[in-house]
Amino acid sequence: MKIALLSPFYPYRGGIAQFSGRLYKALEEENEVKAFSFLRLYPDFLFPGKTQYTNDKENTTDVPTERILDSLNPFSYEKTVRAIEKFQPDILLVAYWMSFFVPAYGYIVSRLRKKTKIIILVHNAIPHEPRFFDKALAKLLFNRSDGFIVMSRTVEKDLLALSPEAPRLLKPHPLYDHFGEKIEQTEALKALGINLNKKTLLFFGLIRDYKGLDLLIDAMALLDSSYQLLIAGETYGSFDKYQKQLDVSPAKDRIYLFNRYIDDSEVSLLFSAADLLVLPYKSATQSGIIPVAYHFELPVVATDIGGLREMIEPAGTGIITLPESAAIAKGVEQIFSSDISIFTNNIKKEKQNLNWETFAHSLTAFAEKITSERIR
């Protein structure tokens, strides 16, 4: 099968580019795949971080791409159509996560849909921080598509609210396994300059309001001095409110801050240093951080938000709590009062179900079913 994959790829940073690069590698084992990427993803004034790009080529899944689509330049939309038409794919697989891209995506799929089946890989049907126009724009794109891939029941529910008859495949998020191997914990702690004799919690990823870092900072004040916290990630917006919390927290001397974008080459060090990943989210659909934790066999405490429960509870890989500081602190204590090896052993079993080969094979089978249906 010939599959065109339209998405950000390296040198763009972040989870969508990482996912698409790894998916390309898995799909090309059974298919002929061509990657179409962006010349410009976001305009600088709309991007809240310092840069949209990564220089960490060595630790990034780099695949051959045709960088052609400019999200703000309509002339590039037609160029992208012609480039994809030249490849003559059976399927156009489009990575979707926010409505900003609907004008570009909508034009492209409208021009291609008579000859090529359209499948949307839905990372989020509705953004984490929604705006009034998101649902209407998503509907425009979804109504022009033939099938959908979702990775959590929460995203599936959001999709069906917008497109009730949507043909879909629900398949859990595969592991992010391109960050290298786990190193010895003491070595990692020494490299980070962190206390070697405390139970180490990790908050990892972009710092945004919905991710609940404020809840975790307050939870640290409820945990005794045997616990320490690593905060690793770049802030989207202002860090001021968190800094004020840290300044007055009785646990401030046990909280270590790495407030910057974390290159892929640093991920192994941080996850190897930790005993536990904490996701204190206030809203979510699913998490790309959990598959990283599973790769490093790290248990998870997460709030009962969106699809987080279904990623953790059935496999017994962590604890689910209410999105409250006291509940988060109690969940952390519960992990350490248990035999933590039970959680790590469950993660080892779950890893076998979350490989990219299985994901790609299921996607290909779904795509073959879609292409066998009558062309509209």
Side-chain angles (χ1 to χ4, degrees):
M1 175 174 288
K2 295 181 74 173
I3 300 176
L5 182 50
L6 179 59
S7 170
F9 290 87
Y10 174 87
Y12 291 104
R13 72 185 204 187
I16 306 296
Q18 291 171 345
F19 185 100
S20 297
R22 192 63 188 81
L23 178 60
Y24 177 103
K25 291 289 190 182
L27 284 172
E28 70 173 351
E29 296 295 321
E30 297 182 355
N31 308 277
E32 183 180 353
V33 186
K34 186 170 177 61
F36 297 88
S37 188
F38 287 77
L39 277 172
R40 175 168 54 176
L41 187 59
Y42 303 105
D44 288 339
F45 72 89
L46 285 181
F47 184 74
K50 294 180 179 179
T51 177
Q52 300 178 50
Y53 303 98
T54 178
N55 293 318
D56 187 14
K57 186 172 184 178
E58 181 179 349
N59 293 280
T60 302
T61 305
D62 186 15
V63 302
T65 60
E66 185 168 350
R67 293 187 65 192
I68 191 169
L69 179 59
D70 182 331
S71 62
L72 292 181
N73 184 349
F75 292 105
S76 78
Y77 304 172
E78 182 61 28
K79 284 184 66 177
T80 304
V81 169
R82 292 198 299 268
I84 295 173
E85 282 180 329
K86 185 178 179 181
F87 178 57
Q88 296 182 324
D90 302 298
I91 290 287
L92 172 61
L93 183 60
V94 180
Y96 180 83
W97 68 102
M98 65 183 301
S99 65
F100 172 77
F101 299 101
V102 169
Y105 282 170
Y107 179 89
I108 292 165
V109 303
S110 294
R111 292 274 284 108
L112 292 171
R113 64 197 292 251
K114 290 184 179 180
K115 296 181 179 179
T116 301
K117 290 292 189 177
I118 310 298
I119 295 179
I120 308 295
L121 177 59
V122 188
H123 292 272
N124 290 305
I126 302 169
H128 294 300
E129 298 163 329
R131 295 150 297 184
F132 72 91
F133 50 79
D134 287 320
K135 292 182 180 180
L137 286 175
K139 276 187 176 181
L140 289 175
L141 177 64
F142 294 172
N143 287 340
R144 291 166 171 78
S145 305
D146 300 290
F148 302 84
I149 311 294
V150 296
M151 292 177 283
S152 75
R153 297 199 181 280
T154 298
V155 174
E156 181 183 44
K157 181 180 177 181
D158 289 343
L159 167 65
L160 293 177
L162 299 172
S163 183
E165 303 299 321
R168 62 202 180 277
L169 170 68
L170 170 60
K171 197 71 180 172
H173 195 305
L175 295 180
Y176 280 135
D177 55 4
H178 61 285
F179 293 115
E181 297 304 315
K182 188 171 185 176
I183 64 177
E184 203 277 322
Q185 186 179 29
T186 299
E187 179 184 341
L189 290 166
K190 286 180 178 178
L192 292 168
I194 305 299
N195 191 299
L196 305 183
N197 300 309
K198 293 186 185 294
K199 292 167 281 195
T200 305
L201 315 182
L202 174 65
F203 175 97
F204 181 86
L206 297 174
I207 299 171
R208 304 175 70 173
D209 285 343
Y210 75 87
K211 292 195 174 183
L213 178 58
D214 56 324
L215 298 179
L216 182 53
I217 293 172
D218 285 344
M220 277 298 295
L222 303 175
L223 293 168
D224 65 40
S225 61
S226 67
Y227 295 90
Q228 61 187 357
L229 170 65
L230 304 180
I231 300 172
E234 181 182 7
T235 307
Y236 274 16
S238 172
F239 192 76
D240 288 350
K241 72 173 185 178
Y242 305 112
Q243 189 60 58
K244 290 176 181 177
Q245 270 188 287
L246 290 171
D247 289 342
V248 299
S249 172
K252 64 182 178 182
D253 293 335
R254 298 182 279 119
I255 299 176
Y256 300 87
L257 179 63
F258 301 86
N259 186 205
R260 55 180 173 77
Y261 181 76
I262 307 299
D263 282 331
D264 288 357
S265 60
E266 302 174 278
V267 172
S268 176
L269 185 66
L270 288 159
F271 277 81
S272 297
D275 296 294
L276 178 68
L277 175 72
V278 184
L279 300 179
Y281 292 4
K282 299 175 182 178
S283 69
T285 50
Q286 58 204 12
S287 170
I289 308 300
I290 292 175
V292 182
Y294 287 174
H295 172 63
F296 292 105
E297 298 176 0
L298 201 65
V300 184
V301 167
T303 49
D304 193 7
I305 296 295
L308 300 186
R309 177 183 288 273
E310 70 188 82
M311 298 180 77
I312 295 168
E313 193 170 71
T317 54
I319 298 292
I320 295 293
T321 79
L322 293 173
E324 301 168 354
S325 296
I328 293 167
K330 185 176 179 180
V332 169
E333 291 172 334
Q334 187 176 345
I335 288 279
F336 287 101
S337 65
S338 307
D339 181 354
I340 202 166
S341 66
I342 294 174
F343 297 102
T344 55
N345 287 336
N346 287 339
I347 292 170
K348 290 175 183 178
K349 295 175 185 176
E350 183 67 3
K351 286 171 72 172
Q352 299 173 19
N353 302 320
L354 298 176
N355 63 75
W356 284 95
E357 292 71 26
T358 299
F359 187 90
H361 182 77
S362 297
L363 191 157
T364 300
F366 178 72
E368 288 173 345
K369 180 181 177 182
I370 293 293
T371 57
S372 69
E373 296 174 354
R374 181 176 61 88
I375 301 291
R376 287 176 300 220

